Amino acid sequence: MGALIETSITRNLYFYVSLLFFICAKSSFSASYNINEQTRIYTQEISTDSVVLKMDNHFAIPVSVKLELDLLNLEGESGAGKPTIIPANNTGYVLAKFRKIDTASPYKCSYKWKIVLGDVTKMPDKNYVYGYPFNKSHLFKISQGPGGEFSHKDMFAYDFTMPVGTPVIASRDGIVAVIKANSGVGGPNRKFIDDANYISVYHSDGTIANYLHLNKKGVVVKEGQSVKKGELIGYSGNSGFSSGPHLHFEVVQPALDFEKSKWLSFIWDIKTNNGLFSFLYKKSTSSL
């Protein structure tokens, strides 16, 4: 998924921006927000012979960006080809600095960039024990687990069948990165893939937990809010690409390689819900 933007400004400066949106490939979840609405990349002349490439990040969590540059009559430090981490709520972050080789001649800065939510340089804590995303007094059937044949073939994710309106709680401490709560439609058809309501929570080790298919207006937290493990964050529903009321839960590691988004295996705290794991990973197919 991408968009090509061509713009020209004074002094023959041209720039081409290729935008990649944060999306979980091959998933029943597609982040329906446009990441370009809360990030911006742009050039600025700071003197007669100097140009900088800057970026704004209005998300409540860091974003990672990688540049590809094609320069004419410019030289300098850019960090192109390597991930750059833009802090949360940051304006005017300098991605690159250039000097005009000949101030009397036109110059060009052509660039492509790829961006994802989160810090791709962090290493996940694979020993972290996740709490279940619902009250420990409940037991819900797992209708599809990791590798499920219906829609989890390449994923490590769980679908918990539960009535609409069931309280959903945070499985781990974190910061609410993005939310969607305005969708009232859904069904067992991929045309609804962008209609799921969701909460994405960013963890200290750079991973992101996605809580999907929530009820319309079923989100009780705000973007940028800190949440604690076990805290109420929303209510389950049946929005988006879904064959029945359930909660989809997954943990992903941000990756700038768009074709290799990483679903992470993780550990449940089985002490709180004994018997929950009585299912076969690859034969659970009843729900998305």
Side-chain angles (χ1 to χ4, degrees):
M1 180 182 295
L4 183 65
I5 301 174
E6 180 177 339
T7 308
S8 62
I9 62 175
T10 57
R11 288 187 170 85
N12 296 322
L13 174 63
Y14 302 92
F15 52 99
Y16 306 82
V17 184
S18 178
L19 305 178
L20 287 179
F21 305 142
F22 176 70
I23 183 173
C24 294
K26 299 181 181 178
S27 172
S28 57
F29 168 51
S30 169
S32 55
Y33 62 88
N34 183 340
I35 203 167
N36 193 44
E37 293 177 357
Q38 296 191 63
T39 61
R40 184 170 72 103
I41 188 168
Y42 53 96
T43 54
Q44 182 180 352
E45 293 189 24
I46 58 176
S47 69
T48 57
D49 65 349
S50 298
V51 178
V52 294
L53 190 62
K54 292 185 174 182
M55 185 170 178
D56 297 342
N57 173 25
H58 298 299
F59 283 102
I61 69 169
V63 298
S64 300
V65 62
K66 185 164 64 174
L67 292 169
E68 295 181 13
L69 295 169
D70 181 17
L71 305 176
L72 174 66
N73 194 28
L74 292 173
E75 63 181 6
E77 298 295 325
S78 67
K82 299 179 180 179
T84 300
I85 313 305
I86 315 301
N89 301 311
N90 192 281
T91 301
Y93 188 94
V94 177
L95 292 172
K97 296 181 180 180
F98 305 114
R99 183 184 66 84
K100 301 174 189 176
I101 299 172
D102 179 2
T103 58
S105 300
Y107 65 94
K108 181 183 73 172
C109 176
S110 297
Y111 58 87
K112 296 179 181 180
W113 60 276
K114 188 183 291 186
I115 182 172
V116 293
L117 287 175
D119 183 343
V120 299
T121 65
K122 289 196 171 186
M123 296 298 294
D125 179 4
K126 295 183 178 181
N127 295 317
Y128 184 84
V129 178
Y130 283 79
Y132 294 114
F134 46 80
N135 191 288
K136 64 182 181 181
S137 64
H138 294 105
L139 270 177
F140 295 109
K141 177 184 176 182
I142 294 179
S143 55
Q144 189 175 197
E149 294 177 356
F150 191 82
S151 64
H152 290 187
K153 289 182 180 180
D154 301 315
M155 301 169 58
F156 194 98
Y158 292 86
D159 288 344
F160 298 96
T161 300
M162 59 179 62
V164 170
T166 300
V168 175
I169 63 176
S171 291
R172 181 176 180 178
D173 294 358
I175 298 172
V176 178
V178 287
I179 61 174
K180 177 180 172 64
N182 61 358
S183 174
V185 297
N189 190 306
R190 288 191 174 272
K191 71 178 183 180
F192 298 114
I193 198 167
D194 290 328
D195 296 313
N197 297 316
Y198 58 84
I199 301 169
S200 295
V201 177
Y202 182 68
H203 307 137
S204 60
D205 64 351
T207 58
I208 298 174
N210 294 316
Y211 305 75
L212 309 170
H213 307 294
L214 304 178
N215 207 14
K216 184 177 183 179
K217 298 182 180 180
V219 175
V220 300
V221 291
K222 297 180 179 179
E223 292 177 1
Q225 179 178 336
S226 295
V227 295
K228 293 293 185 181
K229 184 176 182 178
E231 180 178 344
L232 176 69
I233 58 175
Y235 295 92
S236 68
N238 191 29
S239 60
F241 180 26
S242 172
S243 62
H246 75 287
L247 175 69
H248 174 107
F249 180 84
E250 65 186 20
V251 179
V252 298
Q253 179 184 4
L256 278 166
D257 186 343
F258 179 71
E259 297 301 326
K260 295 182 181 179
S261 298
K262 299 177 181 178
W263 281 270
L264 298 181
S265 59
F266 54 88
I267 305 168
W268 289 117
D269 180 8
I270 60 174
K271 294 180 181 179
T272 60
N273 287 80
N274 292 327
L276 187 62
F277 285 87
S278 57
F279 68 95
L280 297 176
Y281 277 15
K282 297 197 178 281
K283 293 186 178 181
S284 50
T285 59
S286 59
S287 294
L288 298 178

